[in-house]
Amino acid sequence: METGEILLQKGLLDSRQLEVIRESQKDDERADQTAVQLGFVSEENALEAIGEQLGLEFVDLTKADVDLSLLPGFPAKIIHHYSVFPVAMRNGSLVVATSDPFNLYALDEISAAMNLSVCPVLAVEHEVASLIKTHLGVGSETVEGLLAQRQEEGGVEILDELEVDGSEDSQAALEASVVRLVNEILVEAIEARASDIHIEAQRAGMKIRYRIDGVLQTQATPPEINHFQAAIVSRLKIMARLNIAEKRLPQDGRIKLKVVGREVDIRVSIIPMLHGEGIVMRVLDKDRMNFSLEGLGMRPDLHQQFLEVISLPHGIVLVTGPTGSGKTTTLYSALNEIKSESTKIITTEDPVEYQLEGINQIQVQSKIGLTFAASLRGILRHDPDVVLVGEIRDLETAENAVQASLTGHLVFSTLHTNDAASSFMRLCDMGVEPFLVASTVEGVMAQRLVRTLCHACREPYVPSAEDVPRDFPLDQLRHSGKEIYREKGCRECRGTGYVGRAGLYELLVANEEVRQLAVERIASHQVKQAAMKAGMRTLRQDGWLKVLDGNTTIEEIVRVSKCD
């Protein structure tokens, strides 16, 4: 029976859906695969139904006890070629996980190679792939020169024309195996929702780590990948249009890719280290970004208050926090909220991370003198209503921002401080007159990012007083009758217990008392106390509310914030 008929018979599809599937189905595609792509049925439900019809067991590989002692004797070529994985020995037969129950050639080849009878079990395709990458390593297929029957170039298309010379490094970087290896590293990172890729040169060899939801995770790699280290670096230099021969100085570049139909920008930074060149790549996935204040995780009262601040006719609005805390996303979302046909918005950024429709953006070029300060002077001659300065990092930029706000412009920018209250003192320390800081800064948003719990597997628990920090609102939890949750791990979240991130926010709106303290250059903690008296919720307090709402864990709040 054809797989579409099986799903229909099992009640997973109706006749109309089956008709749509047959209209959309490609020549080399099974009906159940098309049904999964169209969202009519989940892959696990489809495979369970097909397995039941064929008399094959369905296995959840995230929970199965896989016998890894079988792996050394199993041909790696077969694993990669057919996307299968040995699971166990059962009654003298080799149990092999596959997502394709109809590929009899694979079973025959395994049986002949191992001289054993083979018992196939069905498993979700990405779980089989995850096992392969975990135990054979990212890029293992290419390292061993094993070409699986996949789309040429791994679905990666480079949007810029490459420039190469005839050097030995350049030729090594163009080897088909190296091209595939680099593409596999990039595609795996993008599919894992990584924000950064770290390729580190260490004494023991090359190490690859992905930053996923703000936390670095080491990727398994085969030892043989170390032989390709120089070629990988050269390949990435070529893709980023950098000097392939320069190995003594830091270099920065950019790669524009199209990965499986999605445009992705990758910012590349290369620095010479003790054991070779280290590479960090920031992944900017345009299709995954949605610049909307609604989606940032602000509580309704804070969202309304922030809207009022960014709708002011003039003044300075600052967003503060460490690198990678989502400042740019907050600023872009704010600009999207207030942009209109009657408002001219100009930004000056280093670099321009995302291109925004309806907003004029300038890329800072420090080498030719186009700094934040210089570009800001030019911007003011273009009659803007709203100006965004990527970062206030020196006195000249700070003074220009102040002057822009005094002449009737609304200025957005970022500052590196630990909390909102410290921003006033930071600007004064740069050399701006305190009375100017006090009169122009309208609001400061400090923020951090925390990982959010996977709602498919989070589990409730009752913490004891000894298990929580001293400032955790344990009494509030007991009186509210709510439950708080901790991470567990499942198929949906790849076993981490977390999916995505949300912001913690601390919005300081300047009132008369705060302005007077700023004029007198009073210590930041007193400014903070005055703001809290006026109703400001601190980062830590906002974090505890997210814990009480069941969105994150106590450990995450402790990781990114400190006691007030």
Side-chain angles (χ1 to χ4, degrees):
M1 189 185 295
E2 185 258 343
T3 58
E5 295 289 345
I6 294 173
L7 299 183
L8 181 66
Q9 188 183 80
K10 299 288 184 185
L12 296 174
L13 297 176
D14 57 39
S15 55
R16 174 60 190 146
Q17 288 174 323
L18 185 55
E19 189 179 326
V20 172
I21 288 166
R22 285 176 175 158
E23 288 172 0
S24 308
Q25 195 174 348
K26 296 174 185 174
D27 292 339
D28 58 346
E29 198 170 61
R30 300 195 314 266
D32 63 293
Q33 293 172 323
T34 309
V36 171
Q37 288 174 15
L38 293 173
F40 291 158
V41 64
S42 68
E43 188 180 357
E44 48 266 40
N45 287 344
L47 286 175
E48 279 188 82
I50 293 167
E52 190 178 322
Q53 182 70 27
L54 300 176
L56 297 177
E57 180 188 352
F58 176 81
V59 175
D60 182 349
L61 291 180
T62 61
K63 298 175 182 174
D65 188 12
V66 177
D67 185 357
L68 296 177
S69 66
L70 297 170
L71 197 55
F74 198 95
K77 180 176 181 179
I78 291 178
I79 290 177
H80 291 301
H81 197 100
Y82 295 113
S83 290
V84 296
F85 202 89
V87 175
M89 287 296 297
R90 187 186 297 164
N91 301 326
S93 294
L94 178 64
V95 180
V96 175
T98 177
S99 61
D100 186 355
F102 302 102
N103 192 347
L104 302 179
Y105 295 110
L107 304 180
D108 289 343
E109 191 168 336
I110 294 167
S111 181
M114 300 295 291
N115 197 23
L116 289 167
S117 61
V118 175
C119 174
V121 294
L122 297 183
V124 174
E125 185 178 4
H126 75 78
E127 289 178 6
V128 177
S130 178
L131 266 183
I132 294 170
K133 283 193 166 64
T134 300
H135 298 292
L136 295 180
V138 174
S140 57
E141 174 184 0
T142 308
V143 167
E144 296 178 27
L146 307 170
L147 306 179
Q149 295 174 346
R150 295 180 180 175
Q151 184 179 351
E152 188 69 17
E153 297 286 308
V156 175
E157 177 188 346
I158 300 170
L159 298 181
D160 287 333
E161 187 176 339
L162 299 184
E163 295 179 1
V164 296
D165 54 33
S167 68
E168 187 177 334
D169 285 344
S170 185
Q171 294 307 309
L174 294 176
E175 288 285 340
S177 56
V178 174
V179 171
R180 285 190 178 89
L181 177 54
V182 171
N183 287 346
E184 187 170 343
I185 292 169
L186 296 178
V187 170
E188 173 70 10
I190 291 164
E191 288 179 348
R193 298 179 299 104
S195 60
D196 300 87
I197 305 168
H198 294 241
I199 299 178
E200 299 164 329
Q202 300 186 348
R203 185 176 182 181
M206 195 169 78
K207 186 176 184 180
I208 298 176
R209 297 195 285 176
Y210 298 156
R211 189 176 294 279
I212 302 172
D213 291 336
V215 178
L216 279 172
Q217 298 181 14
T218 301
Q219 303 303 301
T221 53
E224 295 83 2
I225 202 170
N226 296 326
H227 301 305
F228 290 83
Q229 183 171 339
I232 289 170
V233 174
S234 296
R235 172 65 183 170
L236 288 167
K237 282 182 178 179
I238 289 172
M239 293 171 74
R241 306 172 74 82
L242 300 176
N243 183 354
I244 195 170
E246 180 55 75
K247 299 180 181 180
R248 301 166 301 168
L249 296 173
Q251 296 190 71
D252 294 314
R254 196 167 194 159
I255 302 171
K256 290 185 179 181
L257 297 177
K258 184 172 279 188
V259 179
V260 197
R262 298 207 323 262
E263 279 196 26
V264 178
D265 271 9
I266 298 178
R267 281 165 32 200
V268 182
S269 174
I270 301 179
I271 299 179
M273 303 285 187
L274 185 61
H275 299 291
E277 291 174 284
I279 303 176
V280 174
M281 293 177 276
R282 169 64 58 89
V283 180
L284 305 171
D285 191 342
K286 298 177 182 177
D287 290 350
R288 284 213 171 116
M289 293 306 297
N290 178 26
F291 296 114
S292 161
L293 286 180
E294 299 286 344
L296 295 182
M298 292 183 190
R299 301 185 72 80
D301 57 338
L302 184 78
H303 179 227
Q304 185 57 42
Q305 199 176 15
F306 189 54
L307 271 178
E308 291 171 8
V309 172
I310 65 176
S311 301
L312 292 170
H314 54 78
I316 296 176
V317 178
L318 297 171
V319 179
T320 79
T323 302
S325 60
K327 299 189 296 295
T328 301
T329 302
T330 298
L331 286 173
Y332 280 2
S333 300
L335 293 183
N336 265 342
E337 191 74 39
I338 63 174
K339 76 176 181 182
S340 68
E341 288 297 316
S342 60
T343 303
K344 178 150 185 173
I345 302 174
I346 306 179
T347 76
T348 174
E349 306 167 60
D350 183 22
V352 174
E353 293 192 2
Y354 296 96
Q355 296 174 27
L356 303 177
E357 192 67 33
I359 293 173
N360 305 281
Q361 295 171 276
I362 298 170
Q363 169 72 57
V364 166
Q365 302 279 0
S366 300
K367 291 179 182 176
I368 59 171
L370 185 61
T371 59
F372 282 128
S375 58
L376 184 51
R377 286 196 300 271
I379 285 171
L380 295 180
R381 291 192 286 272
H382 271 244
D383 187 30
D385 298 293
V386 179
V387 177
L388 184 149
V389 183
E391 183 185 344
I392 295 177
R393 55 174 72 144
D394 55 41
L395 175 60
E396 188 180 6
T397 308
E399 286 180 334
N400 286 347
V402 166
Q403 288 304 316
S405 69
L406 290 173
T407 52
H409 303 89
L410 183 61
V411 181
F412 291 92
S413 192
T414 69
L415 203 61
H416 283 290
T417 61
N418 289 325
D419 59 12
S422 302
S423 301
F424 295 92
M425 187 62 73
R426 178 84 182 93
L427 290 172
C428 293
D429 288 343
M430 282 184 184
V432 182
E433 291 291 342
F435 75 91
L436 289 176
V437 174
S439 61
T440 56
V441 175
E442 298 292 344
V444 184
M445 176 78 89
Q447 67 179 73
R448 301 290 188 276
L449 290 178
V450 291
R451 293 181 292 173
T452 51
L453 281 164
C454 171
H455 281 252
C457 68
R458 63 177 186 171
E459 59 180 15
Y461 77 110
V462 179
S464 64
E466 295 77 30
D467 295 334
V468 297
R470 56 184 169 81
D471 63 326
F472 181 78
L474 201 56
D475 291 339
Q476 186 179 338
L477 173 65
R478 287 167 180 159
H479 291 137
S480 68
K482 290 182 177 180
E483 289 183 317
I484 67 169
Y485 296 83
R486 59 187 171 195
E487 77 281 9
K488 184 179 179 184
C490 68
R491 175 186 291 137
E492 299 291 325
C493 59
R494 296 188 172 205
T496 63
Y498 298 95
V499 176
R501 289 187 288 176
L504 304 185
Y505 299 100
E506 175 180 294
L507 178 59
L508 188 161
V509 179
N511 58 21
E512 287 307 313
E513 185 180 357
V514 167
R515 293 186 198 279
Q516 186 58 41
L517 291 172
V519 168
E520 297 170 8
R521 296 196 66 164
I522 300 297
S524 297
H525 73 272
Q526 290 182 250
V527 175
K528 184 174 184 176
Q529 292 300 321
M532 290 174 68
K533 189 171 69 175
M536 182 185 81
R537 191 163 51 233
T538 66
L539 288 167
R540 189 83 160 190
Q541 291 168 345
D542 194 42
W544 294 142
L545 290 177
K546 284 184 168 57
V547 171
L548 295 176
D549 288 340
N551 292 325
T552 190
T553 61
I554 292 173
E555 290 74 21
E556 277 296 290
I557 305 306
V558 172
R559 182 175 67 87
V560 303
S561 66
K562 63 179 184 178
C563 280
D564 296 319

